Amino acid sequence: MLPVFDGHNDTLLNLHLSTRGKGRSFFTRSDTGHIDLPRAREGGFGGGFFAIFVPSPSVAGEPEKNLIASPTGYEVRMSPPVEHAYAQGVAIAMMALLFRLERESEGQLRVVRTADELAQCLRDGILAAVLHFEGAEAIDTDLNALEVFYQAGLRSLGMVWSRPNAFAHGVPFKFPHSPDTGPGLTDAGRELVRACNRLGILLDLSHLNEQGFWDVAALTEKPLVATHSNAHALSPSTRNLTDKQLDAIRESEGMVGLNFSVHDLRDDGSNDKNTPLDFMVRHMDYLIEHLGVDCVGFGSDFDGTTISNEIGDVTGLPRFIAALREHGYDEETLRKITHENWLRVLRKTWL
Ligand code: ZN
């Protein structure tokens, strides 16, 4: 089975919040959520970016309350900024959860800090976790916490989730709509980009608005990466990437992880679990057409979103790979998009 290394999951949040994960254990097979160790093994999930996401206190576990349907799509009321001290507390608790999982796994899960460690894990069948922050609220604008989190293992950072913070402006969820929704990076945000370049922390552009994207593109010396986003031309959600953005990612030899979220795949934006796999295949075709075969991978968003019934959970990955094979993808292409491309871009980004 081809191992999959994946650009985004919210499994730590699912385990952290009992409202989401219902108290399930990572080590026991469950019907709740999308990823646990037994199901990861069955699905050939070799690892991925494990997000540390700090929910807004008011909407924890009930984001549906902020959803406003419109005749042609939807809009989600923008979450207010979260306080730095609160965010740091939650982030540390969730990092502790990941490190405890690593210890309790007795060698079956490893938090990886270098590309060699990641390659080794994929070879040996050890589940590889990249410590990723989805939103930088836990980091102070003096960037002291960044140094400490880096030493702890932070290797990937999305400056924002879909809300504003001290560094940048997240893109609000809106469909149909352009990702150009507001101002770009703050001065602190520019410093954060430079610091991540220096430390070798990947900067994730998913959830950043378009101006922020171009600000990072102008500043960074590393490949441009969106860990979990799709093509705006096929599904005009603010979370997806325009052709111009895809061109810039290609020029930088960067990477896009295909997001399995049904509402970011469909041309009508609806949150329909009965969305055929074909929508994922179409986005994959489009991304490869625009980025080339070396710059595309998976960014499932398992445990963070609505996934097609045809995938179900992480055990459905082989079905998607089979669909791509049937569609005409050769083995070399499948190796690249399942894990080799992520390894390439991380090797170029990390120190
Ligand atoms: Zn996300």
Side-chain angles (χ1 to χ4, degrees):
M1 199 181 336
L2 281 171
V4 170
F5 183 80
D6 178 70
H8 189 88
N9 73 66
D10 281 304
T11 303
L12 295 174
L13 184 69
N14 201 273
L15 297 170
H16 177 71
L17 286 182
S18 56
T19 45
R20 286 200 179 210
K22 300 178 189 153
R24 70 188 174 98
S25 155
F26 186 69
F27 299 107
T28 309
R29 193 185 183 93
S30 170
D31 296 328
T32 299
H34 297 139
I35 297 177
D36 50 48
L37 191 58
R39 283 184 287 173
R41 294 230 173 281
E42 185 184 322
F45 182 82
F49 290 64
F50 280 65
I52 305 285
F53 168 70
V54 178
S56 303
S58 55
V59 294
E62 45 176 352
E64 304 79 16
K65 275 199 176 165
N66 291 312
L67 185 72
I68 308 158
S70 77
T72 51
Y74 60 85
E75 186 177 340
V76 177
R77 206 171 287 128
M78 184 78 128
S79 296
V82 294
E83 239 181 278
H84 167 63
Y86 163 79
Q88 195 166 87
V90 175
I92 287 173
M94 288 178 64
M95 289 168 75
L97 170 63
L98 177 62
F99 295 136
R100 283 188 196 107
L101 291 182
E102 182 181 34
R103 191 169 57 244
E104 289 163 17
S105 79
E106 294 176 340
Q108 297 184 84
L109 180 152
R110 184 167 172 197
V111 180
V112 294
R113 294 167 174 82
T114 67
D116 285 341
E117 285 174 1
L118 172 55
Q120 183 80 39
C121 283
L122 290 172
R123 263 197 306 274
D124 297 348
I126 295 166
L127 198 129
V130 170
L131 178 52
H132 166 77
F133 279 9
E134 187 169 35
E137 285 92 346
I139 296 165
D140 53 284
T141 50
D142 291 331
L143 308 184
N144 293 324
L146 184 73
E147 300 283 348
V148 177
F149 289 140
Y150 175 78
Q151 289 298 332
L154 182 69
R155 289 295 179 274
S156 172
L157 172 69
M159 301 176 77
V160 282
W161 182 66
S162 289
R163 66 190 167 207
N165 65 25
F167 303 102
H169 298 81
V171 71
F173 301 98
K174 213 168 175 181
F175 187 105
H177 203 279
S178 145
D180 188 11
T181 57
L185 306 190
T186 65
D187 289 343
R190 289 173 213 282
E191 282 310 312
L192 182 58
V193 172
R194 292 185 191 102
C196 285
N197 275 190
R198 272 198 303 277
L199 291 166
I201 296 175
L202 179 140
L203 280 162
D204 177 17
L205 300 164
S206 290
H207 289 281
L208 199 53
N209 65 13
E210 191 174 352
Q211 189 53 54
F213 177 100
W214 294 119
D215 287 352
V216 173
L219 259 178
T220 187
E221 291 152 10
K222 306 281 185 171
L224 300 176
V225 174
T227 57
H228 57 306
S229 292
N230 293 330
H232 194 271
L234 301 188
S235 174
S237 143
T238 48
R239 278 280 288 105
N240 288 338
L241 299 157
T242 65
D243 288 355
K244 227 178 125 196
Q245 289 176 303
L246 294 177
D247 288 345
I249 291 169
R250 181 190 187 121
E251 273 164 38
S252 76
E253 297 177 14
M255 182 91 191
V256 175
L258 179 87
N259 189 342
F260 296 5
S261 281
V262 291
H263 47 266
D264 290 327
L265 287 164
R266 296 177 60 97
D267 48 3
D268 63 2
S270 88
N271 202 31
D272 186 354
K273 276 192 164 189
N274 293 311
T275 296
L277 276 186
D278 190 47
F279 280 86
M280 289 167 65
V281 175
R282 263 183 262 165
H283 276 268
M284 189 55 96
D285 277 349
Y286 192 91
L287 291 174
I288 289 179
E289 184 188 317
H290 284 257
L291 294 164
V293 81
D294 294 317
C295 298
V296 183
F298 294 172
S300 68
D301 210 355
F302 278 137
D303 281 320
T305 193
T306 308
I307 307 259
S308 161
N309 280 335
E310 290 190 36
I311 298 277
D313 61 15
V314 70
T315 62
L317 283 173
R319 279 195 292 281
F320 180 42
I321 295 168
L324 292 172
R325 189 179 280 123
E326 210 164 294
H327 186 63
Y329 286 34
D330 61 24
E331 293 308 307
E332 190 191 350
T333 303
L334 289 172
R335 266 200 318 279
K336 286 183 174 184
I337 63 180
T338 52
H339 59 282
E340 286 179 357
N341 289 343
W342 273 124
L343 193 56
R344 173 192 68 78
V345 96
L346 290 171
R347 216 176 263 292
K348 281 187 77 172
T349 306
W350 290 350
L351 301 178

